[in-house]
Amino acid sequence: MRREKNRYIFAPEMKHASRRSRGLYVLLFLVLLVLIAAVVNIIMVRQVNLESMKLTVMDLPADLEQYSILHISDLNGAELGEKQNAVRTALGSTRYSCVVMTGDMLGEDGDTAALEDLLALMPAETPKFMICGNSDGPFVTDKAHGTLSVYTEWAERLMSLGVTLLDRPVPVTRGKATVWFMPEELYTLDLDGLEYVYRTQLDRLNLTATALTADDAAKKRAAEYHLERIGEIRETVKQIKPEDVQIVLTHTPLTEEYVRDIVRWSGKEDTFSMRYASLILAGHYNGGQWRIPFAGAIWVNGLGWFPKDELIQGLSYLYAIPQYISPGLGNGDAGSVLPGRLFNTPTVTLLTLTRKVV
């Protein structure tokens, strides 16, 4: 009877001990799971993916068949291995017709070191186009700096390395065919209004030309630059033909409603029109930065919790126009709610144009 009694006396303590053991096992399992996830994430973000995609362009000129675009975005000054070795490994012997960079490529304070290492991986003769992202700032400055150039120092450096900083339509010919690279803002730019603003500013500065400060002189150079640009845009768009391919570059992805409105505002006879765009290339979101495997992004500034993937990366269609959003290479905005990359491998994309249905 005493043994039976003792068994009941100590039973609660034995149950508590069993619960503590189970709790410890659960805790150890969770710690192990976190460690494994951390190791997997480190491996993922130190690699670079090359995503290859064929894109059907209806009525693509025969001379542009298999024209390939290496699309890169949002480097944000990141070094992916020594001298961008992870990018070098991903590209291997890949060939491409041109390189397009859709913004946020610089490091802090216009640092170009990481971008220069990236450019060094690419053939010097390959055309390279870049637009500015929100963290880059404009490449034309109206403030006095170390030289009399209208360009920023980082812009001068990149142009010396063969990068075309895009603020007007630029053509590339291949055989008898032409592909135009277009900054998206040009489709909605009020050239007359903009010309009036810069003409007025220039006239005011010319009235005090004998007493210009260094900043006033910089403003004068910038106004002259923009007036020249406006004139060139007016002349260039007259050369665009309906059969030409128009590739639109934008940092922030466009929306269905925005593209629909632009198309409706333009006339069918206007060859310089979004309705003739063959492809839109964008970046900005870095694939959502923090992702849950097989589920997608957790949070994106401006889009909220668990946005659809088609809004932040990959291929989608806006009013029948294909838009490809690069998953990006860098860590994005340091002020983001979820900074850095989680389960989100940096990616560059090779887009190959074809008239065949794929």
Side-chain angles (χ1 to χ4, degrees):
M1 291 296 293
R2 185 175 297 172
R3 291 179 180 174
E4 188 71 18
K5 185 177 180 180
N6 287 344
R7 184 167 64 85
Y8 284 101
I9 289 173
F10 291 106
E13 294 184 9
M14 294 173 65
K15 289 180 179 179
H16 287 313
S18 177
R19 289 173 183 170
R20 284 196 297 271
S21 297
R22 287 198 297 271
L24 181 60
Y25 291 143
V26 170
L27 179 61
L28 289 173
F29 174 76
L30 291 176
V31 170
L32 180 62
L33 194 62
V34 169
L35 289 174
I36 293 173
V39 171
V40 170
N41 185 62
I42 290 171
I43 294 172
M44 289 180 67
V45 299
R46 288 185 177 179
Q47 295 178 339
V48 173
N49 280 342
L50 173 63
E51 181 176 354
S52 297
M53 180 181 300
K54 287 192 174 183
L55 185 67
T56 300
V57 175
M58 304 305 294
D59 301 321
L60 182 73
D63 286 333
L64 290 176
E65 182 67 31
Q66 300 300 309
Y67 188 86
S68 55
I69 303 165
L70 183 64
H71 182 199
I72 301 173
S73 195
D74 298 271
L75 178 65
N76 286 290
E79 285 283 1
L80 298 158
E82 185 178 357
K83 299 294 184 181
Q84 305 292 12
N85 190 58
V87 181
R88 183 196 305 275
T89 300
L91 291 177
S93 58
T94 303
R95 296 179 178 274
Y96 36 88
S97 307
C98 71
V99 179
V100 166
M101 295 169 278
T102 49
D104 283 1
M105 298 296 292
L106 305 177
E108 293 184 4
D109 300 321
D111 182 14
T112 61
L115 180 52
E116 288 182 44
D117 288 340
L118 186 65
L119 293 171
L121 305 179
M122 304 167 186
E125 67 277 7
T126 300
K128 303 170 186 70
F129 303 100
M130 175 177 159
I131 58 169
C132 295
N134 50 287
S135 70
D136 297 324
F139 56 82
V140 171
T141 180
D142 62 358
K143 306 214 179 284
H145 57 111
T147 72
L148 295 179
S149 172
V150 72
Y151 298 106
T152 61
E153 292 179 8
W154 66 260
E156 291 275 12
R157 180 63 182 155
L158 294 183
M159 289 189 295
S160 73
L161 297 174
V163 176
T164 298
L165 297 171
L166 209 63
D167 65 353
R168 63 198 74 192
V170 175
V172 171
T173 58
R174 190 175 183 181
K176 297 180 180 179
T178 301
V179 53
W180 292 88
F181 292 89
M182 306 277 199
E184 177 273 325
E185 63 176 10
L186 297 188
Y187 290 100
T188 56
L189 197 63
D190 179 5
L191 292 176
D192 291 335
L194 199 61
E195 182 178 22
Y196 175 80
V197 169
Y198 285 117
R199 184 69 64 190
T200 302
Q201 185 181 46
L202 187 60
D203 290 343
R204 180 183 61 79
L205 290 168
N206 283 334
L207 289 175
T208 57
T210 57
L212 289 179
T213 66
D215 278 339
D216 284 340
K219 287 183 174 65
K220 185 174 184 291
R221 289 192 295 270
E224 291 171 340
Y225 172 91
H226 286 297
L227 287 171
E228 178 273 330
R229 178 175 77 105
I230 291 167
E232 185 174 321
I233 291 171
R234 283 201 172 106
E235 291 303 314
T236 301
V237 297
K238 296 176 183 177
Q239 304 171 24
I240 300 173
K241 301 174 183 178
E243 63 269 22
D244 293 344
V245 172
Q246 297 182 38
I247 296 179
V248 183
L249 276 60
T250 177
H251 178 60
T252 303
L254 306 183
T255 64
E256 175 85 20
E257 295 76 17
Y258 179 78
V259 172
R260 183 183 62 238
D261 288 343
I262 293 178
V263 170
R264 288 177 176 176
W265 290 340
S266 62
K268 291 184 179 180
E269 70 284 355
D270 297 329
T271 53
F272 175 56
S273 164
M274 184 72 79
R275 70 172 62 248
Y276 288 108
S278 298
L279 173 64
I280 303 168
L281 297 176
H284 185 56
Y285 290 124
N286 290 285
Q289 297 196 176
W290 283 29
R291 297 179 62 84
I292 298 175
F294 310 109
I298 299 174
W299 166 271
V300 172
N301 290 350
L303 297 178
W305 295 100
F306 305 108
K308 295 180 180 179
D309 244 16
E310 65 188 38
L311 299 177
I312 60 173
Q313 70 173 18
L315 183 66
S316 59
Y317 287 83
L318 308 178
Y319 209 65
I321 301 170
Q323 173 173 254
Y324 182 82
I325 308 171
S326 170
L329 282 174
N331 291 327
D333 184 4
S336 172
V337 175
L338 302 176
R341 299 179 81 100
L342 180 68
F343 301 126
N344 185 0
T345 303
T347 300
V348 296
T349 308
L350 184 70
L351 294 159
T352 303
L353 308 184
T354 179
R355 63 201 322 189
K356 300 175 183 177
V357 177
V358 294

